Amino acid sequence: MEEFMKEWRRGRTEASLLNPVVVEAAPDSLDGLVAEMGTMLASYDDDRLDMEAVVLKIMAMLLKMDRKVKSSRIRALFNRHLAALGIPKSMHCLTLRLAEEFAVSSAARSPVPLPEHAPRLTDAAYLHVALVTDNVLAAAVAVASVVRSSADPARLVVHVVTDKKSYVPMHSWFALHPVSPAVVEVKGLHQFDWRDGGAIASVMRTIEEVQRSALDYHQCDGSVVREHRRLEASKPSTFSLLNYLKIHLPEFFPELRRVILLDDDVVVRKDLTGLWEQDLGENIIGAVGAHRPVADGAVVCTGKTLGGHLNFTEPEVSTPSLGLHSSRCAWSWGVSIVDLDAWRRTNVTQTYQLWLEKNRESGFRLWKMGSLPPALIAFDGRVQAVDPRWHLPGLGWHMPDAELLHRSAVLHFSGPRKPWLEVAFPELRELWLAHLNGSDSFLQGCGVVQLQ
């Protein structure tokens, strides 16, 4: 045994130097190893095994098995990545069916909202909720959950901002599926009538910078970096223009003073009035980012830290003049209350655009391409932490604690396992599907829900 252990320790250092052919020829299992050792033993006259040969064979087998496990794990992660990128056929079907309905049905083309409800769109007496999305099904669930959880749905006005491509099916859905007594507005980017030349120029600056970044992102040296960026860029959120245009909420809603902003991958489970009435002081945004327990006063991040979003090894990010610290808690767009008047008094939007440019000019070293990191810089010092119960993120990554799930006001399916995908956690997907009408002909016809 001592001789074996001696050879084992020496073999560990030599295993990495093994000829790939030897590794490939190694046995695939313990039974195979025992069989080969029996053959080796039979070939020796003194019935003694060559310990060096045995150890190297074991090392080769373990190295082969390790490589297989790693290869299998990589394939599994890659397949999960692809599954998270795909848009289900049922969602394609729904979009096409709604577009077709818009063309042939006057009901699908009816105004959203109805003319008699239009004055509510700018009335500060109502509670205003905004979604910026091109996902019809996600918007349908988010809006339905907001209305269902509201203590006073007649006070709700939900603004859905979408792109030109998605406008027709989005309009068709909400025209055919009103959520009265709440009011829904559907507006495409092409329908905004910005009379302010400065607003137009600002929006176009963001659009052009995102497009320029998308082109530059693929131009890099080294095949490994190129492949990594290709996978990153394949994520729907990486270069989604609508994600970046959230920075123009003041331009989208010039007559509103505040708005609750929701991501489309959320389910609202409690009345939002408490968030709407949140006192922000001089801040612009109220969002969940930190929880300060009463017991010891320690800060516990409910999500990522700034270091999880920004690259603090880069001097531009870590410079003391910027005042950022990698250990500080980061907020996210998932659910937030926004003071648009306070925003208009600052240069936050211009700061956001400047950092988008800086990241592109740095070769995307300041952060992985995305819409949130520059917002973390631009809004720094202007974010009010709100009660963590308002926002439970990460449901596309992991199953939360049951008690946490029960007490949270907004469930956020951030992460790859979106609730409209088959890779979603089944228990969480049921919470999302509960806000769809199982007897709806569009949803049944496209297989979004099963026939009842």
Side-chain angles (χ1 to χ4, degrees), residues 142-168:
V143 171
S145 70
V146 169
V147 176
R148 182 180 295 183
S149 63
S150 175
D152 185 10
R155 191 189 171 204
L156 282 175
V157 178
V158 183
H159 307 264
V160 180
V161 178
T162 190
D163 56 20
K164 188 174 183 178
K165 168 180 63 69
S166 304
Y167 170 74
V168 166

PDB file of all heavy atoms in Angstrom, residues 142-168:
ATOM      1  N   ALA A 142     -48.270  40.003 -17.159  1.00  0.00           N
ATOM      2  CA  ALA A 142     -47.881  41.071 -16.237  1.00  0.00           C
ATOM      3  C   ALA A 142     -49.057  42.007 -15.972  1.00  0.00           C
ATOM      4  O   ALA A 142     -49.339  42.358 -14.820  1.00  0.00           O
ATOM      5  CB  ALA A 142     -46.690  41.840 -16.791  1.00  0.00           C
ATOM      6  N   VAL A 143     -49.744  42.419 -17.038  1.00  0.00           N
ATOM      7  CA  VAL A 143     -50.867  43.341 -16.882  1.00  0.00           C
ATOM      8  C   VAL A 143     -52.010  42.679 -16.109  1.00  0.00           C
ATOM      9  O   VAL A 143     -52.600  43.270 -15.205  1.00  0.00           O
ATOM     10  CB  VAL A 143     -51.354  43.839 -18.256  1.00  0.00           C
ATOM     11  CG1 VAL A 143     -52.651  44.625 -18.108  1.00  0.00           C
ATOM     12  CG2 VAL A 143     -50.288  44.705 -18.917  1.00  0.00           C
ATOM     13  N   ALA A 144     -52.324  41.436 -16.474  1.00  0.00           N
ATOM     14  CA  ALA A 144     -53.404  40.719 -15.783  1.00  0.00           C
ATOM     15  C   ALA A 144     -53.110  40.583 -14.296  1.00  0.00           C
ATOM     16  O   ALA A 144     -53.998  40.730 -13.454  1.00  0.00           O
ATOM     17  CB  ALA A 144     -53.608  39.346 -16.419  1.00  0.00           C
ATOM     18  N   SER A 145     -51.858  40.316 -13.951  1.00  0.00           N
ATOM     19  CA  SER A 145     -51.492  40.149 -12.539  1.00  0.00           C
ATOM     20  C   SER A 145     -51.553  41.472 -11.789  1.00  0.00           C
ATOM     21  O   SER A 145     -51.935  41.507 -10.609  1.00  0.00           O
ATOM     22  CB  SER A 145     -50.102  39.520 -12.425  1.00  0.00           C
ATOM     23  OG  SER A 145     -49.083  40.421 -12.833  1.00  0.00           O
ATOM     24  N   VAL A 146     -51.192  42.579 -12.446  1.00  0.00           N
ATOM     25  CA  VAL A 146     -51.288  43.901 -11.817  1.00  0.00           C
ATOM     26  C   VAL A 146     -52.743  44.203 -11.460  1.00  0.00           C
ATOM     27  O   VAL A 146     -53.058  44.647 -10.350  1.00  0.00           O
ATOM     28  CB  VAL A 146     -50.728  45.002 -12.753  1.00  0.00           C
ATOM     29  CG1 VAL A 146     -51.074  46.390 -12.215  1.00  0.00           C
ATOM     30  CG2 VAL A 146     -49.219  44.874 -12.900  1.00  0.00           C
ATOM     31  N   VAL A 147     -53.628  43.951 -12.416  1.00  0.00           N
ATOM     32  CA  VAL A 147     -55.051  44.262 -12.216  1.00  0.00           C
ATOM     33  C   VAL A 147     -55.662  43.334 -11.170  1.00  0.00           C
ATOM     34  O   VAL A 147     -56.400  43.774 -10.277  1.00  0.00           O
ATOM     35  CB  VAL A 147     -55.810  44.148 -13.555  1.00  0.00           C
ATOM     36  CG1 VAL A 147     -57.302  44.372 -13.337  1.00  0.00           C
ATOM     37  CG2 VAL A 147     -55.265  45.155 -14.567  1.00  0.00           C
ATOM     38  N   ARG A 148     -55.358  42.050 -11.257  1.00  0.00           N
ATOM     39  CA  ARG A 148     -55.945  41.082 -10.327  1.00  0.00           C
ATOM     40  C   ARG A 148     -55.517  41.351  -8.891  1.00  0.00           C
ATOM     41  O   ARG A 148     -56.289  41.114  -7.957  1.00  0.00           O
ATOM     42  CB  ARG A 148     -55.553  39.663 -10.731  1.00  0.00           C
ATOM     43  CG  ARG A 148     -56.165  38.590  -9.843  1.00  0.00           C
ATOM     44  CD  ARG A 148     -55.764  37.198 -10.282  1.00  0.00           C
ATOM     45  NE  ARG A 148     -56.293  36.859 -11.600  1.00  0.00           N
ATOM     46  CZ  ARG A 148     -56.130  35.677 -12.190  1.00  0.00           C
ATOM     47  NH1 ARG A 148     -55.444  34.715 -11.562  1.00  0.00           N
ATOM     48  NH2 ARG A 148     -56.628  35.445 -13.380  1.00  0.00           N
ATOM     49  N   SER A 149     -54.297  41.821  -8.690  1.00  0.00           N
ATOM     50  CA  SER A 149     -53.783  42.033  -7.332  1.00  0.00           C
ATOM     51  C   SER A 149     -54.151  43.398  -6.767  1.00  0.00           C
ATOM     52  O   SER A 149     -53.889  43.674  -5.591  1.00  0.00           O
ATOM     53  CB  SER A 149     -52.256  41.872  -7.312  1.00  0.00           C
ATOM     54  OG  SER A 149     -51.653  42.854  -8.131  1.00  0.00           O
ATOM     55  N   SER A 150     -54.738  44.264  -7.588  1.00  0.00           N
ATOM     56  CA  SER A 150     -55.022  45.628  -7.159  1.00  0.00           C
ATOM     57  C   SER A 150     -56.238  45.694  -6.248  1.00  0.00           C
ATOM     58  O   SER A 150     -57.258  45.041  -6.483  1.00  0.00           O
ATOM     59  CB  SER A 150     -55.258  46.524  -8.380  1.00  0.00           C
ATOM     60  OG  SER A 150     -55.644  47.824  -7.986  1.00  0.00           O
ATOM     61  N   ALA A 151     -56.134  46.517  -5.211  1.00  0.00           N
ATOM     62  CA  ALA A 151     -57.270  46.745  -4.320  1.00  0.00           C
ATOM     63  C   ALA A 151     -58.285  47.685  -4.961  1.00  0.00           C
ATOM     64  O   ALA A 151     -59.458  47.699  -4.571  1.00  0.00           O
ATOM     65  CB  ALA A 151     -56.778  47.325  -2.995  1.00  0.00           C
ATOM     66  N   ASP A 152     -57.831  48.464  -5.942  1.00  0.00           N
ATOM     67  CA  ASP A 152     -58.716  49.415  -6.630  1.00  0.00           C
ATOM     68  C   ASP A 152     -58.345  49.463  -8.109  1.00  0.00           C
ATOM     69  O   ASP A 152     -57.710  50.413  -8.571  1.00  0.00           O
ATOM     70  CB  ASP A 152     -58.575  50.804  -5.991  1.00  0.00           C
ATOM     71  CG  ASP A 152     -59.557  51.823  -6.576  1.00  0.00           C
ATOM     72  OD1 ASP A 152     -60.457  51.406  -7.333  1.00  0.00           O
ATOM     73  OD2 ASP A 152     -59.400  53.019  -6.278  1.00  0.00           O
ATOM     74  N   PRO A 153     -58.710  48.441  -8.892  1.00  0.00           N
ATOM     75  CA  PRO A 153     -58.312  48.393 -10.309  1.00  0.00           C
ATOM     76  C   PRO A 153     -58.830  49.558 -11.140  1.00  0.00           C
ATOM     77  O   PRO A 153     -58.225  49.899 -12.174  1.00  0.00           O
ATOM     78  CB  PRO A 153     -58.895  47.057 -10.796  1.00  0.00           C
ATOM     79  CG  PRO A 153     -59.912  46.672  -9.789  1.00  0.00           C
ATOM     80  CD  PRO A 153     -59.477  47.255  -8.493  1.00  0.00           C
ATOM     81  N   ALA A 154     -59.918  50.203 -10.711  1.00  0.00           N
ATOM     82  CA  ALA A 154     -60.439  51.339 -11.463  1.00  0.00           C
ATOM     83  C   ALA A 154     -59.470  52.524 -11.437  1.00  0.00           C
ATOM     84  O   ALA A 154     -59.583  53.444 -12.254  1.00  0.00           O
ATOM     85  CB  ALA A 154     -61.791  51.759 -10.898  1.00  0.00           C
ATOM     86  N   ARG A 155     -58.514  52.491 -10.507  1.00  0.00           N
ATOM     87  CA  ARG A 155     -57.534  53.578 -10.403  1.00  0.00           C
ATOM     88  C   ARG A 155     -56.283  53.309 -11.252  1.00  0.00           C
ATOM     89  O   ARG A 155     -55.414  54.160 -11.382  1.00  0.00           O
ATOM     90  CB  ARG A 155     -57.146  53.758  -8.928  1.00  0.00           C
ATOM     91  CG  ARG A 155     -56.341  55.011  -8.645  1.00  0.00           C
ATOM     92  CD  ARG A 155     -55.807  55.008  -7.223  1.00  0.00           C
ATOM     93  NE  ARG A 155     -54.869  56.092  -7.004  1.00  0.00           N
ATOM     94  CZ  ARG A 155     -53.923  56.104  -6.091  1.00  0.00           C
ATOM     95  NH1 ARG A 155     -53.785  55.063  -5.274  1.00  0.00           N
ATOM     96  NH2 ARG A 155     -53.103  57.127  -5.966  1.00  0.00           N
ATOM     97  N   LEU A 156     -56.203  52.118 -11.846  1.00  0.00           N
ATOM     98  CA  LEU A 156     -54.996  51.722 -12.575  1.00  0.00           C
ATOM     99  C   LEU A 156     -54.990  52.201 -14.029  1.00  0.00           C
ATOM    100  O   LEU A 156     -55.992  52.091 -14.739  1.00  0.00           O
ATOM    101  CB  LEU A 156     -54.866  50.199 -12.588  1.00  0.00           C
ATOM    102  CG  LEU A 156     -54.342  49.505 -11.328  1.00  0.00           C
ATOM    103  CD1 LEU A 156     -54.412  47.999 -11.529  1.00  0.00           C
ATOM    104  CD2 LEU A 156     -52.901  49.931 -11.040  1.00  0.00           C
ATOM    105  N   VAL A 157     -53.819  52.675 -14.457  1.00  0.00           N
ATOM    106  CA  VAL A 157     -53.560  52.939 -15.876  1.00  0.00           C
ATOM    107  C   VAL A 157     -52.234  52.263 -16.214  1.00  0.00           C
ATOM    108  O   VAL A 157     -51.204  52.587 -15.617  1.00  0.00           O
ATOM    109  CB  VAL A 157     -53.473  54.442 -16.191  1.00  0.00           C
ATOM    110  CG1 VAL A 157     -53.161  54.649 -17.671  1.00  0.00           C
ATOM    111  CG2 VAL A 157     -54.776  55.150 -15.828  1.00  0.00           C
ATOM    112  N   VAL A 158     -52.272  51.316 -17.153  1.00  0.00           N
ATOM    113  CA  VAL A 158     -51.060  50.581 -17.523  1.00  0.00           C
ATOM    114  C   VAL A 158     -50.645  51.020 -18.920  1.00  0.00           C
ATOM    115  O   VAL A 158     -51.427  50.933 -19.871  1.00  0.00           O
ATOM    116  CB  VAL A 158     -51.292  49.059 -17.496  1.00  0.00           C
ATOM    117  CG1 VAL A 158     -49.985  48.333 -17.817  1.00  0.00           C
ATOM    118  CG2 VAL A 158     -51.834  48.620 -16.145  1.00  0.00           C
ATOM    119  N   HIS A 159     -49.410  51.495 -19.048  1.00  0.00           N
ATOM    120  CA  HIS A 159     -48.868  51.956 -20.326  1.00  0.00           C
ATOM    121  C   HIS A 159     -47.916  50.889 -20.865  1.00  0.00           C
ATOM    122  O   HIS A 159     -46.908  50.575 -20.224  1.00  0.00           O
ATOM    123  CB  HIS A 159     -48.099  53.265 -20.137  1.00  0.00           C
ATOM    124  CG  HIS A 159     -48.878  54.336 -19.440  1.00  0.00           C
ATOM    125  ND1 HIS A 159     -49.559  55.331 -20.122  1.00  0.00           N
ATOM    126  CD2 HIS A 159     -49.091  54.580 -18.108  1.00  0.00           C
ATOM    127  CE1 HIS A 159     -50.144  56.142 -19.241  1.00  0.00           C
ATOM    128  NE2 HIS A 159     -49.871  55.709 -18.016  1.00  0.00           N
ATOM    129  N   VAL A 160     -48.218  50.344 -22.035  1.00  0.00           N
ATOM    130  CA  VAL A 160     -47.354  49.345 -22.665  1.00  0.00           C
ATOM    131  C   VAL A 160     -46.664  50.000 -23.856  1.00  0.00           C
ATOM    132  O   VAL A 160     -47.321  50.387 -24.830  1.00  0.00           O
ATOM    133  CB  VAL A 160     -48.151  48.111 -23.135  1.00  0.00           C
ATOM    134  CG1 VAL A 160     -47.212  47.099 -23.795  1.00  0.00           C
ATOM    135  CG2 VAL A 160     -48.888  47.474 -21.963  1.00  0.00           C
ATOM    136  N   VAL A 161     -45.344  50.147 -23.765  1.00  0.00           N
ATOM    137  CA  VAL A 161     -44.551  50.723 -24.858  1.00  0.00           C
ATOM    138  C   VAL A 161     -43.877  49.573 -25.589  1.00  0.00           C
ATOM    139  O   VAL A 161     -43.213  48.727 -24.974  1.00  0.00           O
ATOM    140  CB  VAL A 161     -43.488  51.703 -24.319  1.00  0.00           C
ATOM    141  CG1 VAL A 161     -42.644  52.250 -25.461  1.00  0.00           C
ATOM    142  CG2 VAL A 161     -44.160  52.837 -23.550  1.00  0.00           C
ATOM    143  N   THR A 162     -44.052  49.526 -26.896  1.00  0.00           N
ATOM    144  CA  THR A 162     -43.474  48.434 -27.683  1.00  0.00           C
ATOM    145  C   THR A 162     -42.842  48.980 -28.961  1.00  0.00           C
ATOM    146  O   THR A 162     -42.879  50.196 -29.212  1.00  0.00           O
ATOM    147  CB  THR A 162     -44.564  47.385 -28.001  1.00  0.00           C
ATOM    148  OG1 THR A 162     -43.960  46.224 -28.564  1.00  0.00           O
ATOM    149  CG2 THR A 162     -45.604  47.936 -28.976  1.00  0.00           C
ATOM    150  N   ASP A 163     -42.265  48.106 -29.766  1.00  0.00           N
ATOM    151  CA  ASP A 163     -41.661  48.560 -31.019  1.00  0.00           C
ATOM    152  C   ASP A 163     -42.660  48.402 -32.166  1.00  0.00           C
ATOM    153  O   ASP A 163     -43.754  47.848 -32.000  1.00  0.00           O
ATOM    154  CB  ASP A 163     -40.350  47.817 -31.309  1.00  0.00           C
ATOM    155  CG  ASP A 163     -40.524  46.313 -31.331  1.00  0.00           C
ATOM    156  OD1 ASP A 163     -41.667  45.836 -31.508  1.00  0.00           O
ATOM    157  OD2 ASP A 163     -39.521  45.596 -31.173  1.00  0.00           O
ATOM    158  N   LYS A 164     -42.276  48.880 -33.329  1.00  0.00           N
ATOM    159  CA  LYS A 164     -43.186  48.859 -34.478  1.00  0.00           C
ATOM    160  C   LYS A 164     -43.530  47.434 -34.890  1.00  0.00           C
ATOM    161  O   LYS A 164     -44.665  47.133 -35.274  1.00  0.00           O
ATOM    162  CB  LYS A 164     -42.554  49.619 -35.650  1.00  0.00           C
ATOM    163  CG  LYS A 164     -43.487  49.823 -36.835  1.00  0.00           C
ATOM    164  CD  LYS A 164     -42.841  50.709 -37.892  1.00  0.00           C
ATOM    165  CE  LYS A 164     -43.818  50.965 -39.036  1.00  0.00           C
ATOM    166  NZ  LYS A 164     -43.215  51.864 -40.062  1.00  0.00           N
ATOM    167  N   LYS A 165     -42.566  46.551 -34.804  1.00  0.00           N
ATOM    168  CA  LYS A 165     -42.760  45.153 -35.204  1.00  0.00           C
ATOM    169  C   LYS A 165     -43.820  44.473 -34.352  1.00  0.00           C
ATOM    170  O   LYS A 165     -44.611  43.660 -34.852  1.00  0.00           O
ATOM    171  CB  LYS A 165     -41.419  44.413 -35.098  1.00  0.00           C
ATOM    172  CG  LYS A 165     -41.494  42.904 -35.195  1.00  0.00           C
ATOM    173  CD  LYS A 165     -40.111  42.287 -35.071  1.00  0.00           C
ATOM    174  CE  LYS A 165     -39.483  42.561 -33.734  1.00  0.00           C
ATOM    175  NZ  LYS A 165     -40.160  41.858 -32.610  1.00  0.00           N
ATOM    176  N   SER A 166     -43.842  44.768 -33.070  1.00  0.00           N
ATOM    177  CA  SER A 166     -44.745  44.089 -32.143  1.00  0.00           C
ATOM    178  C   SER A 166     -46.033  44.855 -31.873  1.00  0.00           C
ATOM    179  O   SER A 166     -46.911  44.349 -31.164  1.00  0.00           O
ATOM    180  CB  SER A 166     -44.025  43.838 -30.809  1.00  0.00           C
ATOM    181  OG  SER A 166     -42.834  43.115 -31.000  1.00  0.00           O
ATOM    182  N   TYR A 167     -46.135  46.057 -32.426  1.00  0.00           N
ATOM    183  CA  TYR A 167     -47.275  46.897 -32.083  1.00  0.00           C
ATOM    184  C   TYR A 167     -48.617  46.267 -32.468  1.00  0.00           C
ATOM    185  O   TYR A 167     -49.552  46.242 -31.654  1.00  0.00           O
ATOM    186  CB  TYR A 167     -47.158  48.271 -32.752  1.00  0.00           C
ATOM    187  CG  TYR A 167     -48.425  49.075 -32.608  1.00  0.00           C
ATOM    188  CD1 TYR A 167     -48.765  49.649 -31.384  1.00  0.00           C
ATOM    189  CD2 TYR A 167     -49.318  49.206 -33.670  1.00  0.00           C
ATOM    190  CE1 TYR A 167     -49.959  50.357 -31.223  1.00  0.00           C
ATOM    191  CE2 TYR A 167     -50.499  49.904 -33.532  1.00  0.00           C
ATOM    192  CZ  TYR A 167     -50.816  50.479 -32.306  1.00  0.00           C
ATOM    193  OH  TYR A 167     -51.998  51.151 -32.153  1.00  0.00           O
ATOM    194  N   VAL A 168     -48.730  45.737 -33.670  1.00  0.00           N
ATOM    195  CA  VAL A 168     -50.018  45.211 -34.139  1.00  0.00           C
ATOM    196  C   VAL A 168     -50.521  44.053 -33.269  1.00  0.00           C
ATOM    197  O   VAL A 168     -51.658  44.094 -32.778  1.00  0.00           O
ATOM    198  CB  VAL A 168     -49.939  44.807 -35.627  1.00  0.00           C
ATOM    199  CG1 VAL A 168     -51.139  43.954 -36.034  1.00  0.00           C
ATOM    200  CG2 VAL A 168     -49.868  46.053 -36.499  1.00  0.00           C
TER     201      VAL A 168
END
